[in-house]
């Protein structure tokens, strides 16, 4: 059977498609330090490059569409709404469409999602498209995003196995996403000085098409995970995943930290105004958290063993928002940036949590579970940002952030207690790994 790096591989529509090679068995990573072992897997390299293009498309399209809506309406509310619409539809797509990730071949889902995003952006480029339709198209992109992200995450387990390579592969994709916060908007800003917003949208449509092409030609065809099995759809399928207490507890540990972690970022502009610092200082506050996250993940992935990463999950998660207590003294930019950097660095707990999660979820539910998990993470960030804004209407910004450190820690303690009660920090349990569908 032809492989993808074989010149005899057929092009789409010209003959039989290659089937997936057997995934590497779970176990120790190949020889080689840290992340370099992941890049030795050719199919992962394709997914990684496709992720870069897709992510560039998302970031630039968000910025270009925001500018375009403002130019058309001169309304700050409608302009900011384009960002909010990037969070809210995640809940819809993640709950109603999650079942598709296990009932359809994963490569087909990934390619179709990229093509849908490209088609939506192309329609945004049309000058006659009204603002209401622009916002609806933005929603459409956000609805398919959790399906794409969950399918890609589940596919990583097929490509890399369920062991340490999967954890490191997931970490690399997260690092790229965090880096996009630092570089993506800068690239988009430069692009908008050269071309108008609709011209920038043409570029983003191209990036989605390139991602679709890479995934179609560079990844193997795999059957649907739930093929031949009774896969529940819609909300009943979602409940089939969530009634597994272990999976539910692990999802809480993915959802609770970002709910509180986004508060300082959401309030960075009013805080900078309150302490009277420059726009450059505001940029430092916005960058400190993602820089800390990148540093923490790189250190954990490069220098810590899988067993060590597992042992530090709860200690890091439980201390994740404690640095926000430094805001109680209304710190200057330097101390606030240190607090944000330390909070971001504790995000290294996700490497160990990823390993627990992929071990706990039955394979035939893996796509749906990972789609729900990513949809929930995006949704709670939107809720956290909105809640921070509401709280800051009634209390000083530094008090709100410091209060987040207290409330967030209490919620994390409760989530960790549920995690231990569910036994999700232990090894695999055959009884829990085969929850019946319903």
């Amino acid at each position: 059977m032809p492989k993808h790096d074989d010149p005899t591989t057929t092009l789409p529509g010209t003959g039989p498609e290659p089937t997936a090679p057997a995934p590497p068995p779970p176990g120790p990573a190949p020889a080689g330090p840290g992340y370099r072992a992941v890049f030795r897997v050719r199919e992962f390299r394709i997914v990684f490059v496709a992720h870069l293009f897709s992510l560039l498309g998302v970031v630039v399209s968000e910025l270009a569409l925001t500018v375009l809506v403002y130019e058309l309406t001169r309304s700050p509310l409608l302009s900011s709404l384009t960002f909010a619409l990037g969070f809210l539809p995640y809940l819809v797509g993640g709950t109603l469409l999650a079942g598709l990730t296990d009932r359809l071949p994963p490569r087909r889902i990934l390619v179709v999602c990229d093509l849908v995003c490209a088609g939506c952006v192309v329609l945004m480029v049309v000058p006659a498209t009204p603002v209401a339709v622009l916002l609806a198209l933005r929603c459409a992109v956000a609805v398919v995003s959790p399906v794409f992200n969950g399918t890609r995450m589940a596919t990583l387990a097929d490509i890399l196995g369920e062991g340490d390579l999967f954890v490191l592969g997931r970490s690399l994709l997260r690092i790229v996403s965090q880096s996009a916060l630092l570089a993506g908007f800068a690239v988009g800003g430069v692009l908008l000085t050269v071309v108008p917003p609709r011209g920038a949208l043409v570029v983003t449509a191209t990036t989605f098409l390139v991602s679709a092409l890479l995934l179609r030609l560079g990844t193997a065809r795999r059957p649907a995970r739930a093929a031949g099995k009774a896969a529940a759809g819609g909300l009943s399928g979602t409940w089939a995943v969530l009634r597994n207490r272990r999976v539910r507890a692990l999802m809480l540990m993915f959802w609770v930290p970002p709910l509180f972690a986004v508060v300082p970022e959401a309030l960075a502009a009013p805080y900078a105004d309150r302490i009277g610092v420059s726009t450059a200082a505001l940029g430092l506050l916005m960058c400190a958290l993602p820089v800390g996250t990148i540093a923490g993940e790189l250190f954990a992935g490069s220098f810590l063993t899988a067993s060590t990463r597992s042992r530090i999950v709860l200690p890091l998660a439980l201390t994740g928002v404690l640095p926000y207590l430094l805001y109680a003294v209304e710190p200057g930019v330097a101390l606030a940036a240190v607090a944000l950097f330390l909070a971001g660095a504790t995000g290294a707990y996700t490497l160990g949590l990823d390993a627990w999660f992929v071990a706990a979820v039955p394979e035939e539910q893996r796509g749906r579970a990972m789609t729900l998990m990513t949809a929930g993470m995006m949704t709670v960030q939107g809720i956290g940002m909105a809640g921070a804004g509401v709280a800051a209407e009634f209390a000083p910004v530094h008090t709100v952030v410091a209060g987040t450190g207290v409330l967030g820690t209490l919620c994390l303690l409760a989530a960790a207690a549920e995690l231990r009660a569910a036994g999700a920090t232990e090894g695999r349990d055959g009884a829990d790994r085969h929850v019946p569908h319903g």
Side-chain angles (χ1 to χ4, degrees), residues 93 97-98 100-101 109-110 113 143-152 371:
L97 302 180
L100 296 176
T101 58
I109 295 173
L110 294 174
C113 285
V143 165
V144 303
S145 291
V147 178
F148 180 89
N149 292 333
T151 302
R152 182 180 58 202
T371 299

Side-chain angles (χ1 to χ4, degrees), residues 306-329:
S307 60
T308 301
R309 292 197 295 266
S310 182
R311 286 196 298 270
I312 65 175
V313 169
L314 291 182
L316 286 183
L318 292 175
T319 57
V321 293
L322 282 179
Y324 293 172
L325 295 177
L326 290 173
Y327 272 77
V329 298

Side-chain angles (χ1 to χ4, degrees), residues 361-386:
V361 177
E363 183 178 357
E364 67 272 15
Q365 293 180 331
R366 186 177 292 159
R368 183 191 293 270
M370 292 182 173
T371 299
L372 288 172
M373 187 264 283
T374 56
M377 288 181 67
M378 290 299 293
T379 301
V380 298
Q381 288 180 70
I383 293 172
M385 290 179 178

Side-chain angles (χ1 to χ4, degrees), residues 20-53:
Y35 294 108
R36 283 187 289 181
V38 184
F39 280 113
R40 294 193 184 102
V41 181
R42 178 186 178 276
E43 198 172 356
F44 174 79
R45 295 197 300 269
I46 298 295
V47 172
F48 183 81
V49 174
H51 178 60
L52 289 177
F53 278 99

Side-chain angles (χ1 to χ4, degrees), residues 164-392:
D164 207 36
L165 283 185
F166 167 79
V167 172
L168 294 176
R170 277 276 294 140
S171 175
L172 279 170
L173 296 188
R174 274 197 304 267
I175 289 171
V176 170
S177 298
Q178 289 293 333
S179 300
L181 297 176
L182 303 176
F185 287 123
V187 171
V190 172
L191 183 61
L192 288 172
T193 64
V194 180
V195 297
R198 284 195 169 90
L201 288 172
V202 171
V203 174
T204 66
T206 303
T207 64
F208 284 124
L209 291 174
V210 170
S211 174
L213 186 64
L214 286 170
L215 292 171
R216 177 61 184 81
L217 299 180
T219 61
R221 180 189 180 190
R222 293 178 170 86
R225 289 177 189 82
K229 301 174 183 177
L235 295 178
S236 61
T238 298
W239 174 241
V241 173
L242 293 180
R243 71 183 178 186
N244 182 329
R245 187 181 183 186
R246 176 176 293 186
V247 173
R248 192 169 62 242
L250 288 166
M251 283 192 179
L252 280 176
M253 287 303 298
F254 277 110
W255 293 343
V256 175
L259 173 65
F260 297 98
V262 298
V263 170
E265 286 185 306
L267 300 178
Y271 185 72
D273 180 65
R274 179 180 176 87
I275 62 177
V277 297
S278 65
T279 304
L282 172 60
L284 178 62
L285 292 177
M286 294 294 290
C287 291
L289 190 68
V291 168
T293 302
I294 293 169
E297 288 226 20
L298 283 174
F299 179 82
S302 300
F303 300 107
L304 302 183
T305 63
S307 60
T308 301
R309 292 197 295 266
S310 182
R311 286 196 298 270
I312 65 175
V313 169
L314 291 182
L316 286 183
L318 292 175
T319 57
V321 293
L322 282 179
Y324 293 172
L325 295 177
L326 290 173
Y327 272 77
V329 298
E330 199 169 2
V333 171
L335 186 57
V338 169
L340 294 172
F341 179 88
L342 292 175
T346 64
Y349 79 90
T350 53
L351 278 79
L353 195 61
D354 277 337
W356 294 353
F357 192 72
V358 75
V361 177
E363 183 178 357
E364 67 272 15
Q365 293 180 331
R366 186 177 292 159
R368 183 191 293 270
M370 292 182 173
T371 299
L372 288 172
M373 187 264 283
T374 56
M377 288 181 67
M378 290 299 293
T379 301
V380 298
Q381 288 180 70
I383 293 172
M385 290 179 178
V390 171

Side-chain angles (χ1 to χ4, degrees), residues 253 256 317-318 406-419:
M253 287 303 298
V256 175
L318 292 175
V406 176
L407 180 60
T409 301
L410 293 175
C411 291
L412 282 165
L413 285 169
E418 171 61 15
L419 192 68

